[in-house]
Amino acid sequence: MKINKILIIEDEKLNADRLKRLLLKLRPHVEIMSVEESITSAVEWLNHHPAPDMIMMDVRLADGLSFEIFNKFDIRSPVIFTTAYDEYAVQAFKYNSIDYLLKPIEEDELETALRRYETFIETVPFVGTAIEGLLNYIQPKDYRKRFLLAHRDGYKTVLAEDILYFYTELGISKAVLNTGAVENVPQTLEELERQLDPKFFFRANRQFIIHIDSVKQVLNHFNGKLKLELRKQQPDMEIIVSREKASVFKSWMDY
């Protein structure tokens, strides 16, 4: 099912403009019904307009957390939450959430969320009471704690906590252990990002997912980027965090 009408609730103009550009690039047919900047204005708009097909909702607004909107209006539209803070993820899934995207929102992450909406709407009629089924559909039961990896003529178990970082090379995902050993893993980085505990693992860029204990040094790089030095880092590797992700990374490291 196509998404036709989207409401954006976002109090930072730059973020709202970027989100509009990405949405219209990925789904050129959609209508952005409105951009509301606060709890008060969002509730006012919802009271006087038809329900959108979907809502893109920032968690932190100028006048409080956007969850308050659900206490003031019976929202039946699916919601994709957007935020720079991951501590609200569990709370977000208590509401009509089909995804929870950390800023800065990447195009491929938004595309995945939109496809999730389209797939879910086709298979399960969405109503506010369908949250239990929705949680089972989009959330793993628990974060991954171990990997069963091919080893010689059989398999061996590697604990997630013993992995310093993951990276891709020639389309193959690899895990670097705290011993320095490198192991192939069958999952893509996109799959790993969903399966790993975000308190401990961070998607630094398209090529790397790093464990918080792997970070040896954080250096300022040009144009507001960050350069990371990791434990057991391969000699030819360079790990750069973009300017857009730098503040999120620093908040993650400082929590």
Side-chain angles (χ1 to χ4, degrees):
M1 181 180 292
K2 283 187 175 182
I3 308 167
N4 294 310
K5 297 178 182 293
I6 297 177
L7 169 65
I8 295 175
I9 303 176
E10 167 64 67
D11 64 347
E12 297 180 11
K13 187 177 187 304
L14 288 177
N15 288 332
D17 290 344
R18 172 179 170 77
L19 189 52
K20 285 194 291 185
R21 286 196 302 271
L22 287 176
L23 285 168
L24 292 172
K25 178 181 179 181
L26 296 172
R27 299 293 186 274
H29 65 277
V30 302
E31 174 191 347
I32 307 299
M33 300 176 75
S34 182
V35 177
E36 299 301 321
E37 300 179 353
S38 67
I39 294 169
T40 302
S41 67
V43 172
E44 178 70 15
W45 188 93
L46 289 164
N47 274 311
H48 293 90
H49 294 84
D53 295 324
M54 188 179 71
I55 301 174
M56 302 287 299
M57 184 182 295
D58 189 12
V59 172
R60 286 192 177 182
L61 300 172
D63 54 350
L65 297 180
S66 60
F67 303 131
E68 183 64 24
I69 297 172
F70 292 85
N71 297 328
K72 299 175 181 292
F73 187 87
D74 183 18
I75 293 178
R76 294 283 172 154
S77 304
V79 177
I80 295 177
F81 285 99
T82 64
T83 182
Y85 307 90
D86 65 4
E87 64 262 36
Y88 299 111
V90 174
Q91 190 174 356
F93 283 117
K94 294 179 182 178
Y95 299 96
N96 299 22
S97 176
I98 58 171
D99 215 330
Y100 184 95
L101 303 181
L102 289 177
K103 298 177 183 178
I105 296 170
E106 302 291 346
E107 182 177 323
D108 56 345
E109 294 171 342
L110 180 57
E111 172 64 26
T112 298
L114 296 176
R115 287 184 181 179
R116 179 170 292 147
Y117 164 91
E118 291 161 348
T119 302
F120 186 77
I121 290 300
E122 287 181 358
T123 56
V124 181
F126 191 94
V127 293
T129 57
I131 300 305
E132 186 72 25
L134 183 59
L135 284 170
N136 292 332
Y137 179 80
I138 64 175
Q139 279 192 304
K141 296 295 183 183
D142 197 3
Y143 291 118
R144 178 183 282 275
K145 292 182 173 60
R146 64 185 60 83
F147 294 82
L148 186 66
L149 304 179
H151 181 66
R152 296 177 183 172
D153 295 329
Y155 299 89
K156 69 176 181 179
T157 298
V158 174
L159 297 179
E161 64 189 40
D162 292 332
I163 297 174
L164 294 176
Y165 58 93
F166 298 88
Y167 69 98
T168 58
E169 185 176 65
L170 300 176
I172 298 172
S173 299
K174 297 178 180 289
V176 177
L177 310 188
N178 52 21
T179 61
V182 180
E183 303 284 352
N184 290 343
V185 294
Q187 294 82 9
T188 65
L189 289 196
E190 286 70 29
E191 291 170 331
L192 290 169
E193 188 177 11
R194 292 193 295 270
Q195 295 171 7
L196 295 167
D197 190 338
K199 288 183 179 179
F200 301 106
F201 289 92
F202 183 85
R203 183 74 181 266
N205 53 41
R206 292 182 183 274
Q207 190 179 2
F208 289 91
I209 295 176
I210 63 173
H211 191 284
I212 196 165
D213 291 336
S214 73
V215 181
K216 185 165 63 175
Q217 192 172 12
V218 181
L219 303 170
N220 288 321
H221 205 49
F222 66 91
N223 288 339
K225 300 175 184 177
L226 299 174
K227 183 176 180 179
L228 308 183
E229 291 186 5
L230 306 181
R231 294 165 51 204
K232 308 296 184 181
Q233 183 171 328
Q234 308 293 317
D236 58 342
M237 284 181 174
E238 185 176 60
I239 301 100
I240 303 297
V241 178
S242 69
R243 179 178 62 182
E244 291 77 16
K245 272 194 171 180
S247 62
V248 179
F249 172 80
K250 287 186 284 188
S251 296
W252 174 71
M253 286 289 296
D254 195 40
Y255 186 71

